[in-house]
Amino acid sequence: MMDKEQNKLYRDSRWKKCREIILKRDNYTCCRCGKKQNESELHVHHLNYDSGKKPWEYQDVDLVTLCKGCHAEEHGKIPPKSGWEYCGEDDLGDL
């Protein structure tokens, strides 16, 4: 869950502008599954995180459009649809 400071950063007008640029660049389409804006909530995902950087301070190549589901998979909130095998509780790590 996002802390109060992070939440504030993602409400900043600089992030909103950056986010819109990436969504437009990616044709308002999830780069992983192809869902469009009218099919799912779209998020802009950071491919890497650098300590001390604000969300809008990343290069465009470090940002990608993902639908809500793919974004949750990317952050380990839900298991991916493929590419993994559930072997038991120990297999889930810290999820």
Side-chain angles (χ1 to χ4, degrees), residues 27-80:
N27 199 29
Y28 300 92
T29 304
C30 177
C31 291
R32 183 184 281 175
C33 74
K35 285 184 181 173
K36 301 279 187 189
Q37 189 170 28
N38 63 344
E39 300 172 295
S40 180
E41 180 180 327
L42 296 179
H43 298 183
V44 173
H45 171 66
H46 292 80
L47 295 172
N48 56 63
Y49 295 95
D50 297 327
S51 181
K53 268 192 174 180
K54 305 283 193 280
W56 55 86
E57 293 177 334
Y58 289 80
Q59 298 292 314
D60 289 358
V61 297
D62 295 323
L63 303 168
V64 64
T65 300
L66 295 177
C67 70
K68 185 177 183 177
C70 288
H71 199 201
E73 285 179 8
E74 187 65 32
H75 284 284
K77 302 293 183 190
I78 60 174

